[in-house]
Amino acid sequence: MARAVVTLPATARRGEIIEIKTLAQHAMETGFRRTQIGELIPRDIIRTFRCAYNGVEVYRCDLHPAIAANPLIAFTTVATESGTLSFQWVGDNGYAVTEIAPIRVE
């Protein structure tokens, strides 16, 4: 099973800019490499990452074969209200991981 790690502050002040870091465990095979006998290794990458804050998308990015294995994605958003952030990674060959993290805004 794939693993993802999310780091964000547990609490924040209303209006504060918070940094969020995510790390997804994935080999990110480009589809351009070959085996020792010359056969192409099939592409297997994470294609899309999304983050929603209380159901509203606040960050999205498309990933491409040039991204390193176990991609680290860091971004910021504004803490507006207490609730949850949901993170979703979608990739080739049925890869899909979802993580949810709470935040309390004071």
Side-chain angles (χ1 to χ4, degrees), residues 16 23 43 49 60 63 80 90:
E16 180 180 0
L23 179 71
R43 183 180 108 148
F49 168 77
R60 175 199 302 224
L63 304 174
T80 56
V90 177

Side-chain angles (χ1 to χ4, degrees), residues 8 12-16 18 20 50-59 75 77-87 101-105:
L8 67 139
R13 292 186 319 265
R14 187 172 312 280
E16 180 180 0
I18 58 170
I20 301 166
R50 292 183 183 103
C51 174
Y53 187 173
N54 287 337
V56 177
E57 187 173 273
V58 294
Y59 187 83
F75 60 98
T77 192
V78 177
T80 56
E81 61 187 358
S82 295
T84 59
L85 287 106
S86 63
F87 306 88
I103 187 167
R104 191 178 78 219
V105 176

Side-chain angles (χ1 to χ4, degrees), residues 20-79:
I20 301 166
K21 294 180 184 177
T22 69
L23 179 71
Q25 182 179 11
H26 194 284
M28 297 294 280
E29 187 56 59
T30 66
F32 300 120
R33 292 185 331 130
R34 295 187 178 270
T35 66
Q36 291 179 345
I37 59 173
E39 295 175 352
L40 275 176
I41 300 171
R43 183 180 108 148
D44 185 13
I45 67 169
I46 298 172
R47 293 186 318 269
T48 306
F49 168 77
R50 292 183 183 103
C51 174
Y53 187 173
N54 287 337
V56 177
E57 187 173 273
V58 294
Y59 187 83
R60 175 199 302 224
C61 67
D62 294 326
L63 304 174
H64 302 279
I67 301 296
N70 306 319
L72 170 70
I73 300 171
F75 60 98
T76 60
T77 192
V78 177

